[in-house]
Amino acid sequence: MRKKLKEKWQEAVQAVLPIICIVLVLCFTVSPISPSILLCFLIGAVLILVGMMFFTLGAEIAMTPMGERVGSCLTKSRNLALIILLSFLLGFLVTISEPDLQVLAGQVPAVPNMVLIMSVACGVGGFLTLALLRMLFAIPLPPLLLVFYALVFLLAVFVPKDFLSIAFDSGGVTTGPMTVPFIMALGVGVSAIRSDRHAADDSFGLVALCSIGPILAVMILGMVYNPQDGTYTPPAIPEVDNSRQLWGLFMSGLPTYMEEIAISLLPVFLFFMIFQVLMLKLSKRKMIKILIGLGYTYVGLVLFLTGANVGFMPAGNYLGQVLAGRSHPEILIPIAMLIGYFIVKAEPAVYVLNKQVEEITDGAISAKAMGMGLSIGVAVSLGLAMVRVITGISILWFLVPGYAVALGISLFVPKLYTAIAFDSGGVASGPMTAAFLLPLAQGACAALGGNIVTDAFGVVAMVAMTPLITIQIMGLISKFTGARKKKALGGEVPVLSLDMLEDDAIIEL
């Protein structure tokens, strides 16, 4: 266990250290901030590092095995009504547990937190059911994505402008550190029961569809609910006079997140325990291991969210204000792109996705390649998001062409890459985006005198969009490279993935 913790600590340091260095360089050069905000940021960074270490270990030994066992057990039951009922309930419970959603709901004006959370949870529950049925009946993913995103952009015409960015952001934050390990493992468990060669490829795509449900649900909420009655409240900028006040700032936030994560984990834990008693019947040793893993997950998420919300959120907001208040606010664009390139590595769920992609493809798609594709995608999305903040251009001018390109490419790349790409879009937009990048945009928008609800919200949606294109471009490059190798070798090329085989291929073992 000590070796595992050391490994996870090294991964956390590699992910978070670049962000710390970038912010420190900015603080000591172009955007000076007060010592109290800087100290809060540094303490928050330490908590995030320790939290990531415990969370990734907990996800590996608890959340992933739980999801896989529930998925395979559901599929083995062969009871369609039971699968539909339990998958909806599971999607609903896991979404209510999602810390990212709590962060976003707290920043959205006009709508009570619980109304927004319940709407999003219903959307995820419905689309998780649809995603599992797609896997069971081997329905191709790209046509479903085309139909549902066409519906999303059709509904966007009727949604109030103040609600549009929030709807797209909700689709991104839903798939965070609580949801992704469980849902992706659920897909692996379901696909393990299927015997065809495309089963492993179809284990991806659950997150992709689960990201659409919240967008549709919040759009419908926007059409029936009056979103005009609230005003945006920026996060409080901490000012402390001594070390005791600094300590008290974090200690006052810690019990809140302890309670929040306990309430979040409880529904998932109870669901699994009921499943264990009625259907799974795992051995005592395996159950103890899962319970220890849940303990690590709990500690990790509490520390991570305390660091992100108490330390990172005010720093992000203040940095945005200072940078936008300069004589050339365009400096926001390259700085946001640099932060975006590195910050995606600090998202807890990104680690889970990259590891699973590498395992499922037997290394044909490496975690390093996935990380590079996601970093480039998020860097581009942050640059575009800051263009929106500075100019006030509607988010649809970016999302409609972006999704059109992503869906168009999906018709030509191997379907494994399409599923991974649309999964990665939801995974990239996690708590670091909601707790640092969104406040950065909000602070910049406030300094520029823009409309925060229409111009600053939408950062999460932009972060969720661009990886769809970059990961699929990787698929196109892989496809063309494979075709060139095949031609050079006279029609024979080593197969790196089953997806590259023809349907009637003969495999020599």
Side-chain angles (χ1 to χ4, degrees):
M1 193 59 72
R2 189 180 300 168
K3 184 181 176 183
K4 277 279 185 187
L5 282 171
K6 185 181 177 182
E7 178 189 321
K8 303 304 179 190
W9 171 254
Q10 289 171 345
E11 288 170 357
V13 169
Q14 288 171 4
V16 180
L17 190 60
I19 302 301
I20 299 171
C21 293
I22 290 168
V23 173
L24 287 177
V25 169
L26 289 173
C27 292
F28 292 121
T29 53
V30 296
S31 54
I33 63 176
S34 69
S36 56
I37 297 175
L38 181 59
L39 282 171
C40 283
F41 173 79
L42 291 174
I43 294 174
V46 173
L47 292 177
I48 283 174
L49 283 167
V50 179
M52 273 192 73
M53 175 185 71
F54 282 116
F55 171 79
T56 51
L57 182 61
E60 188 175 294
I61 64 178
M63 299 299 286
T64 301
M66 283 166 64
E68 287 180 5
R69 284 175 169 83
V70 169
S72 30
C73 194
L74 268 179
T75 313
K76 282 177 183 175
S77 71
R78 306 289 182 187
N79 187 330
L80 194 60
L82 182 68
I83 291 171
I84 291 171
L85 177 64
L86 289 182
S87 57
F88 178 85
L89 182 62
L90 189 58
F92 186 89
L93 292 176
V94 173
T95 304
I96 291 175
S97 307
E98 186 53 62
D100 291 10
L101 185 56
Q102 313 272 354
V103 174
L104 180 72
Q107 298 181 67
V108 172
V111 181
N113 289 9
M114 197 47 66
V115 174
L116 186 68
I117 289 169
M118 288 296 176
S119 301
V120 170
C122 288
V124 174
F127 272 76
L128 178 60
T129 304
L130 178 69
L132 288 178
L133 292 176
R134 178 194 80 81
M135 290 179 63
L136 290 173
F137 296 108
I139 301 168
L141 181 63
L144 285 177
L145 293 174
L146 280 167
V147 169
F148 285 115
Y149 275 110
L151 180 60
V152 164
F153 288 111
L154 181 65
L155 274 180
V157 178
F158 307 100
V159 176
K161 188 173 67 170
D162 288 351
F163 227 71
L164 200 57
S165 297
I166 295 168
F168 280 103
D169 276 357
S170 67
V173 299
T174 305
T175 46
M178 187 69 73
T179 312
V180 168
F182 201 87
I183 286 184
M184 290 196 70
L186 190 70
V188 172
V190 172
S191 67
I193 305 301
R194 278 175 46 187
S195 56
D196 61 292
R197 68 182 181 83
H198 288 300
D201 295 354
D202 282 344
S203 67
F204 296 101
L206 267 76
V207 176
L209 285 171
C210 287
S211 298
I212 301 174
I215 300 175
L216 288 171
V218 176
M219 281 184 167
I220 293 167
L221 178 66
M223 289 188 284
V224 299
Y225 197 94
N226 180 15
Q228 308 293 333
D229 298 334
T231 54
Y232 166 74
T233 305
I237 305 297
E239 287 296 338
V240 293
D241 297 325
N242 54 56
S243 55
R244 182 180 293 178
Q245 286 183 13
L246 182 65
W247 177 251
L249 196 65
F250 282 89
M251 286 302 99
S252 63
L254 195 61
T256 304
Y257 298 111
M258 289 175 70
E259 181 184 351
E260 185 179 295
I261 300 303
I263 294 170
S264 297
L265 272 174
L266 187 62
V268 180
F269 173 71
L270 291 177
F271 183 92
F272 183 75
M273 289 306 294
I274 292 168
F275 230 79
Q276 157 70 6
V277 172
L278 298 179
M279 302 179 76
L280 288 175
K281 304 189 188 303
L282 298 177
S283 66
K284 185 179 178 181
R285 187 164 179 260
K286 287 180 180 176
M287 280 304 301
I288 290 172
K289 187 177 179 182
I290 285 174
L291 291 174
I292 292 171
L294 282 173
Y296 281 130
T297 304
Y298 174 75
V299 171
L301 280 175
V302 168
L303 295 176
F304 187 96
L305 282 180
T306 304
N309 289 309
V310 180
F312 269 48
M313 190 180 285
N317 189 283
Y318 192 75
L319 269 177
Q321 291 180 39
V322 174
L323 289 170
R326 295 176 63 84
S327 55
H328 295 285
E330 297 82 13
I331 195 174
L332 271 168
I333 298 171
I335 288 175
M337 290 181 74
L338 182 64
I339 292 173
Y341 182 87
F342 289 104
I343 205 166
V344 70
K345 300 176 190 294
E347 294 287 4
V350 165
Y351 163 81
V352 177
L353 173 72
N354 291 352
K355 188 170 182 292
Q356 187 164 328
V357 168
E358 190 169 62
E359 287 176 357
I360 293 290
T361 62
D362 290 328
I365 306 173
S366 67
K368 186 177 179 182
M370 279 291 299
M372 181 62 71
L374 286 171
S375 290
I376 292 170
V378 173
V380 172
S381 67
L382 261 294
L384 294 174
M386 291 307 154
V387 170
R388 279 190 64 237
V389 168
I390 294 169
T391 61
I393 299 172
S394 169
I395 193 171
L396 289 179
W397 286 102
F398 296 96
L399 292 184
V400 173
Y403 276 100
V405 170
L407 292 167
I409 297 174
S410 72
L411 302 175
F412 304 100
V413 300
K415 68 176 186 174
L416 174 62
Y417 278 93
T418 298
I420 290 172
F422 278 84
D423 277 358
S424 68
V427 170
S429 47
M432 290 297 284
T433 303
F436 188 80
L437 296 178
L438 184 55
L440 181 77
Q442 290 167 344
C445 194
L448 292 168
N451 184 331
I452 290 176
V453 177
T454 58
D455 300 340
F457 282 97
V459 170
V460 180
M462 299 291 285
V463 169
M465 178 190 72
T466 43
L468 315 184
I469 299 171
T470 54
I471 301 297
Q472 288 191 107
I473 288 173
M474 283 171 49
L476 280 177
I477 293 169
S478 172
K479 186 178 180 180
F480 290 141
T481 305
R484 195 175 300 145
K485 283 182 182 176
K486 186 174 180 180
K487 189 176 180 181
L489 295 171
E492 295 183 5
V493 63
V495 174
L496 296 178
S497 168
L498 289 178
D499 195 57
M500 294 169 62
L501 289 170
E502 300 296 332
D503 285 336
D504 58 350
I506 296 171
I507 306 172
E508 285 190 18
L509 300 179

